[in-house]
Amino acid sequence: MQHTITTFKMIKTKAKKSVLMALFFTSIFGCTQEKRPILGDSDFQKTINAEYKDATTSPLKDKDRKHFEGLDFFKIDSAYVVKAALKRTPNSKWFNMKTTTDRVSKERVFGVLSFELKGEKFELNIYQGKELMQEEGYEDYLFLPFLDETNGLESYGGGRYMDVRIPEDDTMIIDFNKAYNPYCAYNDKYSCPIVPRKNYLKTRVEAGVKAFDKR
């Protein structure tokens, strides 16, 4: 992740691998060095804060990481944990998903999620990455990007991402409290998939990571 342009596979696998690394280094060195506790109200928040604080895993620019204490989150809200019906699309074709650079990411629509959020019905396409599914340990990972009406206000203007695994049946739990920003929200050296307009939710999703306050 040190290169100016990264591959989509590296971006998505980095998020998982770096979580384990962050937890490992925190547990090993936490007792030998005086460190302020990692902030967060949930395991997800504490884990992503640990990742971003660690120079070996953080997407932050050095100047931002130097003053980093923790990301800003919406308050955890169980109303944003929803059960969705998954309609699989096994015959969908691979396509080139645009990114913030000239690079494209080979994706396909794995299925369509239908769910209710605060009394309103919505649908989101969920995607499968061709490169990521060939990575050992990530064969069952799916990519769920979305836009909503907090973008450009409380949350990052380019939308947010979630990572989930292929379920055994045709239902899936979506926890918007675990929505995170693409790496390019923090550092323009990264090449990030652009959220398809199809995945726009005409509502405010007041959950997950908020916009980053760059110094």
Side-chain angles (χ1 to χ4, degrees):
M1 298 291 283
Q2 303 301 319
H3 299 89
T4 301
I5 298 177
T6 64
T7 66
F8 187 41
K9 178 181 69 177
M10 290 174 65
I11 292 173
K12 294 204 289 188
T13 57
K14 176 71 171 182
K16 289 77 177 184
K17 293 179 179 178
S18 56
V19 163
L20 297 176
M21 290 175 63
L23 292 175
F24 174 77
F25 285 112
T26 298
S27 63
I28 294 297
F29 298 111
C31 297
T32 58
Q33 299 181 24
E34 287 190 15
K35 292 184 178 181
R36 280 176 284 185
I38 301 299
L39 300 178
D41 294 328
S42 68
D43 288 342
F44 168 76
Q45 292 183 3
K46 291 176 182 178
T47 298
I48 195 172
N49 277 338
E51 174 189 343
Y52 283 38
K53 190 174 183 179
D54 189 332
T56 66
T57 57
S58 179
L60 300 177
K61 295 180 179 179
D62 289 341
K63 65 181 181 65
D64 293 323
R65 186 177 50 78
K66 182 178 180 181
H67 303 284
F68 179 76
E69 295 184 357
L71 296 173
D72 194 11
F73 301 90
F74 287 98
K75 184 177 179 180
I76 295 175
D77 188 344
S78 61
Y80 288 102
V81 182
V82 300
K83 187 175 183 178
L86 172 63
K87 182 179 179 181
R88 301 178 188 235
T89 53
N91 297 319
S92 61
K93 297 181 179 180
W94 296 101
F95 71 97
N96 292 326
M97 182 178 283
K98 294 182 179 180
T99 72
T100 52
T101 65
D102 292 336
R103 185 183 61 83
V104 294
S105 175
K106 189 70 71 174
E107 303 281 327
R108 77 177 188 94
V109 178
F110 181 85
V112 180
L113 295 170
S114 301
F115 57 94
E116 286 193 10
L117 182 60
K118 294 192 171 183
E120 295 185 72
K121 294 182 178 180
F122 297 99
E123 287 188 349
L124 287 173
N125 284 348
I126 190 164
Y127 301 91
Q128 185 174 41
K130 192 170 186 178
E131 291 186 33
L132 187 62
M133 67 184 294
Q134 297 170 358
E135 187 80 9
E136 184 177 357
Y138 300 101
E139 298 90 347
D140 63 342
Y141 270 80
L142 300 176
F143 177 47
L144 183 57
F146 70 95
L147 300 159
D148 73 275
E149 293 188 351
T150 67
N151 298 158
L153 300 172
E154 297 95 334
S155 68
Y156 176 60
R160 290 175 288 171
Y161 300 165
M162 288 185 287
D163 297 310
V164 295
R165 291 179 180 270
I166 297 174
E168 294 182 359
D169 55 18
D170 292 328
T171 60
M172 181 179 291
I173 300 298
I174 306 174
D175 187 353
F176 287 97
N177 295 292
K178 296 181 179 180
Y180 64 91
N181 295 329
Y183 276 9
C184 52
Y186 310 99
N187 195 327
D188 55 11
K189 77 177 182 179
Y190 293 105
S191 175
C192 303
I194 296 173
V195 181
R197 190 65 185 175
K198 175 71 175 177
N199 273 24
Y200 168 66
L201 298 175
K202 194 175 182 180
T203 188
R204 288 175 56 82
V205 179
E206 297 174 335
V209 178
K210 290 185 175 182
F212 183 61
D213 183 18
K214 297 181 181 180
R215 293 177 177 269

